[in-house]
Amino acid sequence: PRQHSQQGSEVRIGVCNPTALAGKATEIREMNCQIVLASETSLTMARRPVFNREASRYGFACVHGEPVPPQCSYEDGSHSSRGLSTGASVLSTLPSRPGLGTLPSGIVSSCRLTEAYCRIGALEVRIICIYGVPSCHQGAAAANNLLMGAVYALATASAMPTFIGGDFNCGPESLDIWELFLARGFVNVVPWARSQGFEVAPTCKGRTNNDTLLVPHYMLSAITRVEVINDAGLFDSHDPLRVHMKLPHEVPCVRRWRIPESFANLGTSREDLAVAFLQEAAGNQHSPTPRNSAQAADTDQDFADALRRWSLQVECAVHRALLSKQAVGQDPSRCRGLPRRYKGRCREATI
């Protein structure tokens, strides 16, 4: 096995409000963080792929929340490229994946919450990015309590270490629901850092620290530095927060069991599959059907063989249905049928 330093490796988590993320991949890179929680991204569905390509050049993978609606629509049916002032994204150069999609629909459509999972060495953590409702909006406190209620449900769904950050647009401690987070051991990193002697400047217009990170109490001992990046002028009105942590970095052995993907993702109808299956069965009418073979099986191996023949017949039927669907309106030589990642059911799998 590879040897790693006993001191662990430094991980930097950044929190920023770029006031529109499009075209700012370079600024994200200059934050010099492996994980970035970005609020008020204003990324519409049209702008997302462009930004993702820009970010990928610097090694960032992006997990975005619901696409932000465009600021305006025109009479010709087109839309503005910039979205409304909302949106939340998690960007990471570490292995990451989106959340499980368990948020209520009302929270999802607000475009103010994103959940992701990142792996730091052997440790997998949950990252929740939030963009709070500005205080100038009517009912902002109630809306932010509702948002934080959804965050609380995510953060307490399992015992996984969870980091919650973004532009809260208020002090998290000012919300009624803060007592629940406090009882669960979450700590606002900015006042904690100041109590430890770190100099943490305001992040927004030299006045507030609403761009902050909530950290589980048992992770505080891993923090080595907390700072505000206010000398680079990266974003218009918000200076990013950066938290340095020293965490163990023992890379786990990864062994994957390849499992075929679901046919449900292929978009073929039940009727087309039924016709294709009957055609496939008709082509094998001189061989015993899988059902007859299974009923006549004397041993476990006979039954397993019958199950494998049945699964192969199903895959061939799906392949046939896809070929028929793909052949409509295009050159048959370009039709590929069932991709390899959908094959392999009822067969002995290697790890």
Side-chain angles (χ1 to χ4, degrees), residues 269-344:
S269 68
R270 295 169 63 94
E271 294 75 15
D272 290 343
L273 287 175
V275 170
F277 187 82
L278 290 175
Q279 292 172 343
E280 193 64 34
N284 295 287
Q285 58 184 346
H286 300 297
S287 302
T289 65
R291 175 181 292 181
N292 291 340
S293 298
Q295 291 173 342
D298 294 325
T299 65
D300 290 344
Q301 186 60 47
D302 292 340
F303 186 81
D305 290 341
L307 200 56
R308 273 192 290 273
R309 285 198 299 273
W310 171 78
S311 67
L312 180 60
Q313 187 171 326
V314 170
E315 288 178 359
C316 290
V318 176
H319 175 75
R320 182 189 292 267
L322 281 175
L323 285 177
S324 299
K325 181 180 178 182
Q326 294 168 356
V328 177
Q330 63 175 302
D331 182 1
S333 65
R334 299 178 62 86
C335 301
R336 302 301 181 191
L338 185 65
R340 182 175 178 271
R341 64 182 181 273
Y342 291 92
K343 299 178 181 179

Side-chain angles (χ1 to χ4, degrees), residues 136-159:
C136 58
H137 290 212
Q138 186 175 6
N144 285 327
N145 268 305
L146 188 63
L147 271 177
M148 288 296 282
V151 170
Y152 182 81
L154 289 176
T156 58
S158 67

Side-chain angles (χ1 to χ4, degrees), residues 108-326:
V108 172
S109 62
S110 73
C111 307
R112 293 182 179 275
L113 215 57
T114 298
E115 178 192 21
Y117 295 87
C118 297
R119 198 179 73 230
I120 305 172
L123 182 67
E124 188 168 48
V125 299
R126 182 189 289 113
I127 306 290
I128 301 175
C129 181
I130 184 173
Y131 179 52
V133 179
S135 57
C136 58
H137 290 212
Q138 186 175 6
N144 285 327
N145 268 305
L146 188 63
L147 271 177
M148 288 296 282
V151 170
Y152 182 81
L154 289 176
T156 58
S158 67
M160 181 180 293
T162 300
F163 295 87
I164 305 164
D167 183 358
F168 290 80
N169 268 314
C170 65
E173 299 90 343
S174 67
L175 298 173
D176 296 338
I177 200 172
W178 174 249
E179 293 299 324
L180 293 179
F181 286 88
L182 204 58
R184 284 283 185 162
F186 283 97
V187 177
N188 186 343
V189 77
V190 170
W192 174 86
R194 288 171 176 159
S195 72
Q196 301 300 306
F198 295 105
E199 292 186 9
V200 185
T203 57
C204 181
K205 300 178 180 178
R207 294 197 299 268
T208 64
N209 285 96
N210 295 336
D211 308 277
T212 189
L213 187 70
L214 308 185
V215 180
H217 66 93
Y218 53 82
M219 300 294 289
L220 293 174
S221 59
I223 296 177
T224 59
R225 187 179 176 188
V226 179
E227 60 184 338
V228 172
I229 310 171
N230 54 10
D231 57 352
L234 295 178
F235 305 115
D236 294 338
S237 55
H238 293 257
D239 293 322
L241 175 75
R242 184 166 59 200
V243 178
H244 300 246
M245 305 183 75
K246 186 79 75 172
L247 294 171
H249 196 85
E250 190 67 34
V251 178
C253 173
V254 178
R255 304 181 74 186
R256 290 187 174 90
W257 188 12
R258 193 181 74 84
I259 299 176
E261 293 188 23
S262 171
F263 294 146
N265 303 327
L266 296 172
T268 51
S269 68
R270 295 169 63 94
E271 294 75 15
D272 290 343
L273 287 175
V275 170
F277 187 82
L278 290 175
Q279 292 172 343
E280 193 64 34
N284 295 287
Q285 58 184 346
H286 300 297
S287 302
T289 65
R291 175 181 292 181
N292 291 340
S293 298
Q295 291 173 342
D298 294 325
T299 65
D300 290 344
Q301 186 60 47
D302 292 340
F303 186 81
D305 290 341
L307 200 56
R308 273 192 290 273
R309 285 198 299 273
W310 171 78
S311 67
L312 180 60
Q313 187 171 326
V314 170
E315 288 178 359
C316 290
V318 176
H319 175 75
R320 182 189 292 267
L322 281 175
L323 285 177
S324 299
K325 181 180 178 182
Q326 294 168 356

